[in-house]
Amino acid sequence: MENTYLFNSLFVLLASVLVFMMQMGFACCESGFSRSKNACNIWLKNFCDFCVGAFVYYIVGFGIMYGDDWHGLIGVTGFGNPLAQELSIWKSYEGTLSPQIFLLFQTMFCATAATIISGSVAERFKFDTYLVVSALMSGIIYPVIGHWVWGGGWLSSLGFSDFAGSGAVHAVGGFAALVGAFMVGPRIGKYVDGKPQAIPGHNIPMAMLGGFILWVGWYGFNPGSELALDETSLYTTVTTTFAGAAGGLSALFFTWARYKKPDPTLALNGALGGLVAVCTGVAEISYLGASIIGIISGIILPLSVEFVDKKLHIDDPAGAISLHGTNGILGVIEAGLLSTTRGLLYGKGISYLLIQTLGIICIGAFVFASAFIMFFVLKKTMGIRVTSEEETDGLDKHEHGMVAYTFGKGIQNSF
């Protein structure tokens, strides 16, 4: 093998493994922020997101995303066995990156987008229906947006840019999570007389550990998106770090001043919000720009969580809508402002910002519409919500016939 081919393939393989670890991070966060009686259910959903997504994306989704373009909307080749077909995507990386590793990395991104929904519908969504949601997200909804942005579709032809997926991955998952949480409704006891009630998670240290694991995964998510080991991939490790650190600090001090106590969960989500938002412009912003993106995310995220909970009355146990949806939108637009080569604040004109804004609006419109149709049809057919008895007793007991923790009888429901 040529050295370039070998080193790029090994680097992207490592990046793929790091992104795969994000499934574990998501599971830790979602489970920790939820009650113990639903822990097994949440972990299994995150596990199945990847297992289902790997096959569905290979057979259907990859062709929609990277198959030969049809009018800028979808790919129309590469279905069934894409590695055995003469696709233009393989020719573009010939001699520089293994096709198998390219497919692996894209599969990891697909699974990340799909699993975001899990946190917003936690503790009341039917498991069998969730498997269908995971398959449809992996096979259709995410790949369509992926084609528009990365597969030669109409948005990329206009000049829309999304290096590591603030819009194409995180906002897609966040938009779908919003629709899912709205359609399934809030958990029992979440709203009393229109006022939100706190339902504490059972294991905050587990949630914090999940945040650390997710941050580690981002060193595959962002640098790996270059699909090569070069100066750009190395540069993104620093901008990624600054955005996360700035997001964590700004959320810490902002919520400390607002709520009079330093909240570990909001500080954690502030850091993750910065990491989400920096994905789009991570390769073409300055270190200062990355820090500014993190600071904004750390302030906006808790405000967004409050708005979703108190104003929209949408129950989102893990804060996935705000973390991925709100910060995904911010990241796409902030790139139009802070890109050192194309950004408005660097005197490069407003055209790139307008394209970025148009892009995220169109992404949101498509995902909202398609996710609404998906959840509506499933609600009318399979059903999407467990019974009140199942929700009260816990999904682990009724859906899976087990409990996560075997402490004393009667404690499980309240812990």
Side-chain angles (χ1 to χ4, degrees), residues 66 112 211 253 263 292 309 329 334 379 391 407 413:
Y66 286 108
T112 300
F253 290 114
D263 189 319
I292 291 172
D309 188 29
I329 295 169
E334 286 166 338
K379 187 174 185 178
E391 183 178 346
F407 34 66
N413 287 345

Side-chain angles (χ1 to χ4, degrees), residues 1 61 92 111 168 174 183 194 217 304 362 375 386:
M1 292 184 183
S92 65
M183 293 290 286
S304 176
C362 293
F375 284 111
V386 299

